[in-house]
Amino acid sequence: MNIPNQITIARLILTLLFVVAISYESSFQAIITFSIFVIASLTDWLDGYLARKWNQTTDLGKLLDPLADKILVTSALFFLVYVDMVPVWMAILMVSREFLITGLRLIATAKGVVLAAERTGKHKTISQIVAILLALAYLAVEEIQFQLGDKTFLPEKIVSNLDFLITLSFWIATLLTIASGFLYFQKNRHFLTENFITSTSKKTFHS
């Protein structure tokens, strides 16, 4: 297994640590979850960069990389919904899109085709990660502020601007989620139509 794929697997392990961190409340939960998510996000950039630089793009990497992204982002979204940082409908929409794309990839894989992530999908993932990072950073700063007992650690104006920035970033991520999902299905819709035609033909034959 090459180094880029090893880094991808490391992101899956970091995601597991992230899930453990959000599952057990502690005095430094927000700081720990933010730190783990930052490192995991950096591995998302690093594995792709090294795979392209060293010409080590593999079918395994094409499958594992988006899968690791989906698990990491989905875990973070569940946590942010739990702490009331993200509207439930936004999280459901983002997660549903990932399930649908994964289903399409499975259909393509059954036909011997590995569907890699598209550029629009990468942009979607980046927008989601940025939005999540902002929200987790906000929670971490709040936690530091609470630990220090300093209510003036962050001026009210900065808090207000952060709230707006987080809301805006999640709206952008949501719109990119919808757009990238539509474009992905539009480009690969023949896998669905072929599968539907094949299934219909088999039913007709058996009947």
Side-chain angles (χ1 to χ4, degrees), residues 46-62:
L46 185 60
D47 60 3
Y49 171 76
L50 292 179
R52 290 188 297 273
K53 183 178 180 181
W54 296 341
N55 194 28
Q56 292 185 350
T57 302
T58 63
D59 286 344
L60 178 63
K62 290 177 183 178

Side-chain angles (χ1 to χ4, degrees), residues 28 35 41 52 57-58 89 95-96 114 123 127 154 168 191:
F28 301 98
S35 301
S41 300
R52 290 188 297 273
T57 302
T58 63
W89 70 268
V95 173
S96 297
V114 176
H123 292 161
S127 69
L154 271 184
L168 177 63
F191 288 109

Side-chain angles (χ1 to χ4, degrees), residues 62-205:
K62 290 177 183 178
L63 285 172
L64 281 182
D65 183 55
L67 179 64
D69 291 341
K70 291 180 194 334
I71 297 173
L72 178 64
V73 169
T74 300
S75 303
L77 286 173
F78 284 160
F79 174 65
L80 292 175
V81 167
Y82 175 73
V83 296
D84 293 326
M85 289 291 292
V86 178
V88 175
W89 70 268
M90 278 190 178
I92 291 175
L93 195 153
M94 292 184 194
V95 173
S96 297
R97 184 264 189 201
E98 304 309 334
F99 275 113
L100 291 170
I101 294 298
T102 299
L104 180 59
R105 283 202 175 104
L106 288 174
I107 293 172
T109 302
K111 295 179 179 296
V113 180
V114 176
L115 294 180
E118 296 286 337
R119 185 176 295 274
T120 52
K122 281 293 183 183
H123 292 161
K124 174 270 304 177
T125 300
I126 291 171
S127 69
Q128 289 176 345
I129 287 176
V130 168
I132 292 169
L133 279 172
L134 287 172
L136 292 177
Y138 180 83
L139 292 174
V141 170
E142 271 194 336
E143 188 173 79
I144 293 171
Q145 185 170 275
F146 177 78
Q147 295 292 339
L148 295 175
D150 183 5
K151 297 301 180 183
T152 61
F153 183 73
L154 271 184
E156 189 63 33
K157 186 174 182 179
I158 293 180
V159 172
S160 177
N161 288 337
L162 270 176
D163 281 338
F164 172 76
L165 193 58
I166 291 169
T167 301
L168 177 63
S169 63
F170 272 106
W171 269 104
I172 292 173
T174 301
L175 292 174
L176 283 176
T177 295
I178 296 170
S180 63
F182 174 78
L183 291 173
Y184 200 84
F185 269 97
Q186 187 72 10
K187 181 177 180 179
N188 300 290
R189 65 185 185 278
H190 57 281
F191 288 109
L192 293 174
T193 55
E194 288 171 6
N195 192 65
F196 176 76
I197 292 170
T198 303
S199 299
T200 304
S201 299
K202 286 181 179 179
K203 287 180 181 179
T204 304
F205 177 77

